[in-house]
């Protein structure tokens, strides 16, 4: 019986042309983040199920690829429930592993600690175009910095990176979980209903403000509260950046602390006046972000020209405390690496500054000193900075040269057994 040549469902093989682009992007990302003081770390792809199921990963906790126990720990005869069979799983994001890493090495790390982590994650999700069960994430995080300097640095580092990858005219949508709660309290919703209200609000871009009103009414909330709530969003329509935030702050009054209001205004103003990429900061009170661990500022990269977002993050000051027993301020930003690669490939992105590529086609009978002389010539061109491919000449030379041209080899040199040919 023949072996299966296709990848497992939800996984994919990466061809050389895409791998070259991925390597280029990884290089730009690492170089740019290093300029901002971020240092690379790596964590295992397998984590304890106790950590993965710690109520920090939202819906992702339902998508864990679980790993069966090994050796003496695995006893199928006495197993009665799932926990008897498995105690670990593949990581579904990089944040949970980072927090465990920090808790384990806090005494060895500087404070604040600026971490860069790139690696594959796995989710047992339903595969579709652009969504795989294995994909790369690219995260930067700052742990130990309580002030909004963390948010400013994260946004500037991420947007600078996107600018260097050729992206422009995107938006950074920004909000704060405390503003979301203040708006709900001002409107008269009970605190225990906040999460349900936010889940509905998160659908605003799909169902519109009337759709949100309809869903909230079906959930049994008072019409007075719904109207008061949605009037807040109508009040900021057409107002971006600090202007929209000022309108919300004025309406909320004492429901919103001055510290939160001023802090978010400072983030927006500081980024707008110091940014190096071409983008816009947009205060968006409809931004929710689903992860339950966010405690303050939240943000997202919006690229409507490409049909959605390409990254996001926020502050999660309570998560480290679940490991250390004491809270540590933390904030992170994740670039949608796979989404970016897909966009760049669809746009036909050409890697700038590639070295000259030359292909040496050697007739099959060439050997001995003649072969050594040809390879020596190739070595000389490589020393000059050129990329030289040395291969045997195929029978169908025309098709071979066509393939080489598609791979970027603009020049081909042919070497025959008889140099006079």
């Amino acid at each position: 019986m023949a072996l299966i040549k296709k990848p497992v469902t939800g996984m994919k093989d990466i061809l050389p042309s895409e791998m070259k682009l991925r390597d280029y992007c990884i290089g730009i990302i690492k170089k740019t983040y290093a300029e901002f003081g971020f240092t690379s770390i790596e964590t295992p792809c397998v984590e304890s199920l106790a950590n993965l199921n710690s109520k920090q990963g939202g819906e992702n906790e339902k998508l864990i690829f679980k790993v069966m126990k090994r050796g003496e720990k695995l006893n199928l005869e006495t197993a009665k429930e799932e926990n008897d069979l498995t105690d670990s799983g593949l990581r579904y994001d990089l944040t949970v592993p980072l927090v465990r890493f920090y808790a384990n090495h806090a005494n060895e790390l500087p404070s604040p600690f600026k971490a860069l982590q790139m690696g594959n994650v796995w989710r047992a999700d339903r595969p579709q175009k652009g969504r795989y069960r294995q994909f790369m994430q690219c995260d930067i995080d700052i742990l130990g910095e309580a002030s909004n300097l963390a948010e400013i640095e994260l946004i500037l580092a991420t947007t600078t990176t996107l600018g260097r990858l050729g992206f422009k005219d995107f938006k950074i949508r920004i909000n704060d979980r405390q503003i979301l709660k203040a708006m709900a309290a001002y409107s008269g919703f009970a605190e225990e209903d906040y999460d349900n209200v936010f889940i509905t609000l998160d659908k605003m871009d799909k169902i519109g403000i009337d759709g949100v009103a309809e869903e909230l009414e079906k959930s049994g909330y008072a019409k007075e509260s719904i109207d008061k709530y949605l009037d807040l969003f109508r009040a900021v329509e057409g107002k971006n950046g600090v202007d929209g935030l000022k309108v919300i702050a004025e309406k909320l009054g004492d429901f919103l602390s001055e510290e939160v209001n001023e802090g978010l205004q400072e983030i927006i103003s500081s980024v707008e006046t110091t940014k190096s990429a071409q983008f816009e900061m947009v205060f968006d009170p409809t931004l929710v972000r689903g992860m339950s661990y966010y405690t303050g500022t939240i943000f997202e990269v919006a690229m409507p020209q490409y049909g959605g977002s390409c990254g996001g993050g926020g502050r999660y000051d309570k998560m480290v405390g679940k490991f250390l027993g004491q809270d540590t301020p933390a904030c992170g930003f994740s670039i949608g690496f796979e989404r970016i690669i897909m966009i760049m490939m669809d746009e036909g992105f050409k890697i700038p500054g590639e070295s000259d590529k030359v292909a040496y086609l050697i007739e099959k009978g060439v050997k001995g000193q003649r072969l050594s002389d040809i390879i020596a010539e190739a070595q000389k061109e490589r020393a000059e900075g050129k990329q030289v491919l040395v291969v045997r000449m195929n029978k169908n030379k025309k098709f071979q040269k066509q393939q080489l041209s598609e791979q970027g080899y603009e020049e081909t040199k042919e070497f025959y057994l008889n140099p006079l040919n």
Side-chain angles (χ1 to χ4, degrees):
M1 181 179 176
L3 295 178
I4 301 169
K5 64 181 182 180
K6 288 187 176 182
V8 173
T9 301
M11 314 289 183
K12 73 167 186 174
D13 295 324
I14 301 176
L15 294 172
S17 58
E18 179 178 343
M19 200 66 225
K20 183 170 65 173
L21 177 59
R22 294 170 79 94
D23 287 342
Y24 166 77
C25 290
I26 289 171
I28 294 292
I29 289 168
K30 287 189 172 183
K31 181 179 184 298
T32 306
Y33 284 153
E35 292 172 6
F36 281 81
F38 291 91
T39 54
S40 292
I41 67 165
E42 187 170 321
T43 57
C45 63
V46 177
E47 284 284 340
S48 164
L49 272 183
N51 291 346
L52 295 176
N53 282 320
S54 59
K55 309 298 182 186
Q56 302 298 306
E59 292 296 308
N60 293 329
E61 293 189 8
K62 300 176 183 178
L63 306 174
I64 300 171
F65 278 104
K66 296 176 181 177
V67 179
M68 291 187 71
K69 294 179 179 180
R70 283 77 57 205
E72 295 179 358
K73 289 185 177 181
L74 179 62
N75 191 329
L76 296 176
E77 295 179 358
T78 60
K80 294 181 180 179
E81 54 187 40
E82 188 177 89
N83 290 342
D84 297 325
L85 299 174
T86 180
D87 58 2
S88 60
L90 297 178
R91 62 191 182 194
Y92 51 72
D93 74 0
L94 297 179
T95 305
V96 173
L98 168 67
V99 173
R100 180 202 53 74
F101 170 94
Y102 181 79
N104 192 35
H105 299 283
N107 293 333
E108 308 162 54
L109 299 171
S111 183
F113 178 53
K114 301 178 77 171
L116 162 63
Q117 189 174 189
M118 298 188 71
N120 283 320
V121 300
W122 293 263
R123 296 177 189 173
D125 209 345
R126 180 178 296 175
Q128 52 186 286
K129 178 177 170 56
R131 185 185 294 272
Y132 295 94
R133 290 177 171 176
Q134 174 182 311
F135 54 95
M136 179 173 281
Q137 283 194 337
C138 173
D139 289 13
I140 50 172
D141 295 81
I142 303 178
L143 297 99
E145 177 56 72
S147 78
N148 60 19
L149 177 61
E151 283 90 338
I152 293 168
E153 281 283 277
L154 288 166
I155 294 171
L156 285 174
T158 300
T159 53
T160 299
T161 301
L162 290 172
R164 290 181 180 179
L165 290 174
F167 290 93
K168 60 183 179 179
D169 299 328
F170 54 92
K171 300 179 188 296
I172 298 295
R173 301 167 62 206
I174 190 167
N175 197 9
D176 194 299
R177 297 285 290 190
Q178 295 180 71
I179 292 177
L180 284 169
K181 292 177 181 179
M183 292 172 70
Y186 164 85
S187 303
F189 292 106
E191 187 171 351
E192 60 267 24
D193 292 327
Y194 287 176
D195 285 344
N196 288 332
V197 171
F198 298 159
I199 289 172
T200 303
L201 173 64
D202 200 27
K203 303 175 185 177
M204 178 82 82
D205 59 337
K206 296 178 181 177
I207 63 177
I209 197 165
D210 292 335
V212 170
E214 185 178 344
E215 283 208 13
L216 290 175
E217 285 181 25
K218 287 181 179 178
S219 297
Y221 298 116
K223 190 174 187 308
E224 181 183 354
S225 293
I226 296 171
D227 291 342
K228 195 173 182 181
Y229 188 54
L230 297 182
D231 281 344
L232 290 171
F233 300 101
R234 295 186 179 98
V236 297
E237 286 181 0
K239 296 179 176 63
N240 291 330
V242 172
D243 290 340
L245 178 56
K246 286 179 178 178
V247 171
I248 287 291
E250 183 178 342
K251 285 187 170 292
L252 293 180
D254 293 339
F255 283 92
L256 179 64
S257 77
E258 191 62 28
E259 182 181 1
V260 172
N261 175 30
E262 290 180 353
L264 199 56
Q265 286 194 41
E266 186 173 42
I267 293 170
I268 295 171
S269 298
S270 296
V271 172
E272 282 285 9
T273 55
T274 59
K275 64 185 181 182
S276 60
Q278 188 176 325
F279 69 95
E280 181 183 5
M281 291 291 294
V282 178
F283 167 64
D284 187 346
T286 69
L287 180 63
V288 175
R289 300 212 40 94
M291 304 303 280
S292 59
Y293 52 65
Y294 289 128
T295 58
T297 318
I298 48 178
F299 29 77
E300 189 169 277
V301 183
M303 295 186 176
Q305 66 270 44
Y306 299 116
S309 64
C310 291
R315 181 167 285 277
Y316 52 99
D317 288 345
K318 301 293 183 181
M319 195 171 175
V320 178
K322 293 183 180 295
F323 288 88
L324 288 178
Q326 60 183 39
D327 289 338
T328 298
C331 196
F333 208 144
S334 178
I335 288 179
F337 184 82
E338 302 291 352
R339 175 84 172 139
I340 284 171
I341 293 296
M342 186 175 70
I343 291 171
M344 294 174 79
M345 292 187 69
D346 288 345
E347 295 280 305
F349 180 84
K350 300 295 183 184
I351 297 175
E354 282 192 294
S355 59
D356 294 336
K357 299 176 71 173
V358 183
Y360 280 32
L361 304 183
I362 305 176
E363 192 178 27
K364 288 188 176 179
V366 175
K367 56 184 178 180
Q369 186 59 47
R370 171 70 173 147
L371 180 61
S372 295
D373 291 343
I374 295 169
I375 294 175
E377 187 176 335
Q379 287 287 74
K380 182 181 178 182
E381 292 208 68
R382 287 166 178 158
E384 294 170 353
K386 293 182 180 180
Q387 182 176 329
V388 183
L389 175 71
V390 179
V391 293
R392 289 291 184 180
M393 191 181 295
N394 293 343
K395 286 184 178 180
N396 190 343
K397 186 175 64 175
K398 182 179 179 181
F399 179 66
Q400 184 180 20
K401 292 173 74 172
Q402 179 183 332
Q403 285 188 312
L404 289 169
S405 177
E406 291 172 356
Q407 295 170 33
Y409 290 92
E410 298 176 354
E411 181 183 0
T412 57
K413 295 183 178 181
E414 301 170 19
F415 300 89
Y416 295 90
L417 182 60
N418 180 358
L420 297 178
N421 284 351

